[in-house]
């Protein structure tokens, strides 16, 4: 991932935005001190959010299934 200083981006923001969108890449922008941000195409960002939500939902489903299996196991063990 390309890294750019804030002052460099400030002087050529539109060019950097076009480059990021055209190349479908991300750029790390280093500010003063430890401040850092990432510039990426909006489509890429939205895909990352969607993926994160999908993984969260999958994790909840797996937890739910695990809990159900534990309940069934305990119920069968008690009945025997």
């Amino acid at each position: 991932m390309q890294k750019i200083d804030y002052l460099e981006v400030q002087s050529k923001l539109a060019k950097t935005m076009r480059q990021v969108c055209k190349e479908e890449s991300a750029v790390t922008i280093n500010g003063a001190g430890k401040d850092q941000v990432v510039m990426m195409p909006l489509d890429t960002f939205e895909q990352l959010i969607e993926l994160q939500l999908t993984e969260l939902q999958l994790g909840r489903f797996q937890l739910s299934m695990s809990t159900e299996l534990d309940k069934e196991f305990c119920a069968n063990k008690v009945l025997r």
Side-chain angles (χ1 to χ4, degrees):
M1 182 179 324
Q2 181 182 2
K3 294 184 179 186
I4 302 176
D5 183 70
Y6 165 78
L7 295 174
E8 183 182 349
V9 170
Q10 187 179 19
S11 67
K12 55 180 186 179
L13 180 60
K15 180 181 176 185
T16 304
M17 290 174 65
R18 281 192 302 272
Q19 178 184 353
V20 164
C21 290
K22 180 181 176 186
E23 296 176 2
E24 297 182 359
S25 62
V27 173
T28 301
I29 302 170
N30 299 314
K34 295 182 179 182
D35 294 340
Q36 291 185 320
V37 297
V38 174
M39 180 189 295
M40 68 178 68
L42 180 59
D43 288 346
T44 303
F45 176 75
E46 289 173 342
Q47 290 172 2
L48 286 172
I49 296 299
E50 186 176 323
L51 178 62
Q52 184 179 17
L53 291 174
T54 300
E55 288 177 351
L56 181 61
Q57 290 169 344
L58 178 59
R60 287 181 181 160
F61 174 74
Q62 289 173 337
L63 179 61
S64 172
M65 291 301 295
S66 174
T67 303
E68 290 300 316
L69 289 173
D70 287 345
K71 287 179 184 175
E72 287 182 28
F73 177 76
C74 290
N76 286 336
K77 195 171 183 180
V78 170
L79 291 176
R80 290 179 184 194

